[in-house]
Amino acid sequence: MRVLLTGAAGFIGTAIGRRLAEAGHEVVGVDLMLASAHGSSTPPDGVHQLDVRDAGSPEWADLLGGVDAVCHQAALVGAGVRVGDLPAYASHNDVGTTALLAAMHDAGVDRLVLASSMVVYGEGRYACPEHGVQEPPPRSVAALEGGDFENHCPLCDRALGWSLVPEDARLDPRSSYAASKLAQEHYTSSWVRQAGAGAVALRYHNVYGPGMPRDTPYSGVAAMFRSSLERGERPQVYEDGGQVRDFVHVDDVARANVLALEQVVAEDVPRYAAYNVCSGTPVTILDVARQVGAGTGSGIEPEVTGQFRPGDVRHVVASPERARADLGFTASVEPTTGLADFATAPLRT
């Protein structure tokens, strides 16, 4: 299989390219080499420095020739907290994806795996012991300032417990980045219908592992905790540390992409489907800080600050069932082991 891989020089793209090559597939790598994502503006050997927004150019047409599928990882990431960030996310993520889809159609390439994200869900899924599944409104600043970080049942005001989020859950993006990722999914599903194509969207949960960038918008909270520990500082944990997430190792994410590519080309999955890519083992943010700390052997304990970001969600925990059933994907790295190992893994500077 010949695969065009966008974002090929990035943290996740590098792992996917390596896994594809190990599986005997040919990789055509492309990356813009954004300064915010890479320490160097020079692409690695074998990676073409091109902008996905220019996918209608002759250079792209040449690269797409003879390609069986595209694995689209290129994206501008981050929280997108400033209103001024909106045009950049729409340009890189949404205009870029539509340009790529149009160029693929022109080149006769009709199979795609798209990197999506858990952020399309907004809040996770919640349940009240008495009233069942609930969709709580955003948490109020007054409650957060008072140290009440939980979501509450709108009927009885009890604190809501978290439930696993399936792929058919309500989609409620709450940042410009999240909105751009959901738009990518919508454009892709529209392309599938219009072009008679096939695509899989993989909704990554919190990805970590060797090669993760250090102290950039592409760094996750685990990398930030590690940086604090390396400076001899206590990792700062927001709220009460009880936020529940799913942390998935980059090697597992790469393996999920290879499985999805092979099956979308073989037409062994629906014409369009989205899948959670997760470890299936929920973990609190406080435990993430503790596990990274344990891996360093420093003995430095995290500090629970009570600080908060108004746009943050309380819990997002994925259901791994659809990916297991359709793709045959089950994560192999448990967060307890992976996060401790991550404490001393090589990072991208």
Side-chain angles (χ1 to χ4, degrees):
M1 182 169 63
R2 179 179 170 89
V3 178
L4 189 145
L5 173 62
T6 72
F11 165 49
I12 296 174
T14 297
I16 293 171
R18 182 170 56 247
R19 178 73 69 163
L20 282 166
E22 289 170 354
H25 302 301
E26 181 182 356
V27 179
V28 180
V30 177
D31 202 296
L32 179 57
M33 303 301 296
L34 279 173
S36 58
H38 304 282
S40 169
S41 60
T42 303
D45 290 344
V47 174
H48 303 268
Q49 189 169 8
L50 293 171
D51 192 330
V52 72
R53 293 170 294 183
D54 297 328
S57 69
E59 293 89 346
W60 276 92
D62 290 343
L63 293 181
L64 283 165
V67 162
D68 298 298
V70 171
C71 186
H72 185 30
Q73 304 294 313
L76 186 67
V77 308
V81 295
R82 298 189 310 114
V83 173
D85 295 330
L86 282 163
Y89 284 105
S91 176
H92 284 282
N93 298 353
D94 302 330
V95 173
T97 296
T98 57
L100 177 62
L101 294 173
M104 289 172 62
H105 182 64
D106 289 344
V109 181
D110 61 359
R111 294 293 182 268
L112 174 75
V113 171
L114 169 72
S116 187
S117 171
M118 58 176 271
V119 297
V120 301
Y121 295 120
E123 284 281 3
R125 174 166 285 195
Y126 297 88
C128 172
E130 181 178 354
H131 298 106
V133 173
Q134 298 294 321
E135 294 182 355
R139 297 176 295 172
S140 73
V141 172
L144 295 169
E145 288 176 340
D148 179 8
F149 302 114
E150 299 295 348
N151 286 294
H152 292 267
C153 177
L155 301 176
C156 68
D157 202 40
R158 291 186 190 179
L160 295 171
W162 58 266
S163 300
L164 295 179
V165 180
E167 287 84 352
D168 59 0
R170 180 183 66 159
L171 304 179
D172 183 22
R174 298 193 176 187
S175 70
S176 49
Y177 169 61
S180 74
K181 297 307 289 184
L182 183 54
Q184 284 184 303
E185 289 196 23
H186 286 326
Y187 280 119
T188 298
S189 63
S190 174
W191 170 78
V192 165
R193 290 189 294 272
Q194 289 181 278
V200 164
L202 298 178
R203 293 173 180 162
Y204 303 156
H205 287 253
N206 296 271
V207 186
Y208 71 97
M212 197 171 194
R214 183 191 298 273
D215 301 329
T216 77
Y218 291 71
S219 304
V221 67
M224 294 183 218
F225 290 157
R226 170 176 160 159
S227 293
S228 295
L229 290 161
E230 290 175 342
R231 293 191 299 267
E233 300 170 359
R234 299 176 68 184
Q236 303 292 290
V237 177
Y238 278 24
E239 301 188 13
D240 60 359
Q243 311 94 302
V244 182
R245 298 288 191 272
D246 188 296
F247 280 73
V248 59
H249 197 276
V250 67
D251 288 347
D252 282 324
V253 173
R255 187 162 52 85
N257 273 272
V258 175
L259 287 169
L261 284 162
E262 291 173 344
Q263 293 185 54
V264 76
V265 168
E267 301 185 16
D268 288 338
V269 288
R271 295 291 270 179
Y272 177 77
Y275 297 95
N276 289 322
V277 177
C278 59
S279 71
T281 303
V283 61
T284 67
I285 294 298
L286 179 56
D287 280 341
V288 171
R290 286 172 172 161
Q291 288 163 7
V292 175
T296 67
S298 65
I300 299 174
E301 284 293 316
E303 179 181 0
V304 178
T305 68
Q307 293 177 285
F308 62 88
R309 289 179 290 253
D312 282 356
V313 300
R314 181 59 174 170
H315 306 302
V316 184
V317 185
S319 169
E321 292 306 316
R322 182 184 288 183
R324 180 181 297 128
D326 288 10
L327 301 178
F329 171 74
T330 301
S332 60
V333 181
E334 285 288 325
T336 301
T337 302
L339 288 165
D341 290 344
F342 173 67
T344 55
L347 297 185
R348 182 175 304 193
T349 55

